[in-house]
Amino acid sequence: GRVAAAFAIASAATILLASVSPHGGENIDQLLRGEILTADLHEFETIAVVYGLVLAVTLWLQRDLLLTSYDPDMARVLGKRVRRTEATLLVLIGLTVSVGALIVGPVVLFGLLVLPPLAARALARSMRSFFAWASLLGVVAALGGVVVSFEFDWALGPSVVAVAGVLQGPATLAARLRHQRSAA
């Protein structure tokens, strides 16, 4: 709730400050909406390098990150440097969010960072399957968003988020059916 409240307040402040900006709200609106289709080669290279680095560090430190995130006391007992691992995780999250928000816009970024994992949570039985489901649903949302965008002539970013939101229904239904089968 606090994150959502902070996001809402920051968004409102951005819009209000943009209205008094000498550059006008058009530049700020483009920044907020994110123009995925107009991303140039430099932006693509930037996002590829940063996200590749984040992926490599995450895979390299996967066990330490999971242990520190879910059981910091056990991590301390095992001699792990909890503060350093938490700081590394925060830097990785910061890089992911800042680069993504600048290039694709906050709506698409937060839609893809939040909605596929929520759907995956309903489907997954382990952390490994959670990561796999979240990744798969993110790809499906992105590809489905492209199709919806071209089919209905809608903006690409919001179309991707809409498809990611629609995927919540089938994921929840599949989880309920699985739960009913296991209860029977």
Side-chain angles (χ1 to χ4, degrees):
R2 291 180 185 149
V3 172
F7 181 73
I9 292 169
S11 297
T14 302
I15 292 168
L16 291 174
L17 292 173
S19 67
V20 296
S21 169
H23 297 287
E26 190 174 311
N27 291 340
I28 301 299
D29 185 48
Q30 182 179 1
L31 177 67
L32 290 174
R33 284 185 44 210
E35 297 295 334
I36 300 170
L37 295 176
T38 61
D40 62 10
L41 182 61
H42 175 69
E43 290 173 327
F44 179 75
E45 290 169 345
T46 301
I47 207 165
V49 167
V50 170
Y51 284 3
L53 175 68
V54 168
L55 177 64
V57 172
T58 302
L59 291 174
W60 180 46
L61 299 174
Q62 179 181 5
R63 292 177 188 250
D64 290 344
L65 291 171
L66 285 173
L67 179 62
T68 302
S69 295
Y70 289 104
D71 198 352
D73 294 331
M74 177 61 87
R76 280 188 195 89
V77 169
L78 294 174
K80 305 292 182 185
R81 295 181 176 171
V82 173
R83 288 198 188 267
R84 185 178 76 180
T85 305
E86 288 175 342
T88 302
L89 181 61
L90 289 174
V91 167
L92 293 174
I93 292 169
L95 282 171
T96 300
V97 169
S98 61
V99 170
L102 286 173
I103 295 175
V104 300
V107 172
V108 176
L109 175 78
F110 289 113
L112 287 176
L113 284 176
V114 173
L115 295 173
L118 282 176
R121 187 173 163 210
L123 299 170
R125 294 183 179 185
S126 68
M127 283 304 289
R128 189 172 300 262
S129 67
F130 174 78
F131 291 141
W133 274 113
S135 299
L136 177 66
L137 291 170
V139 169
V140 169
L143 295 175
V146 169
V147 170
V148 168
S149 173
F150 285 119
E151 189 67 32
F152 295 105
D153 196 27
W154 290 352
L156 179 58
S159 297
V160 170
V161 176
V163 170
V166 167
L167 290 174
Q168 302 299 310
T172 303
L173 181 63
R176 285 186 184 163
L177 289 174
R178 185 182 72 211
H179 180 68
Q180 288 174 352
R181 285 184 194 152
S182 65

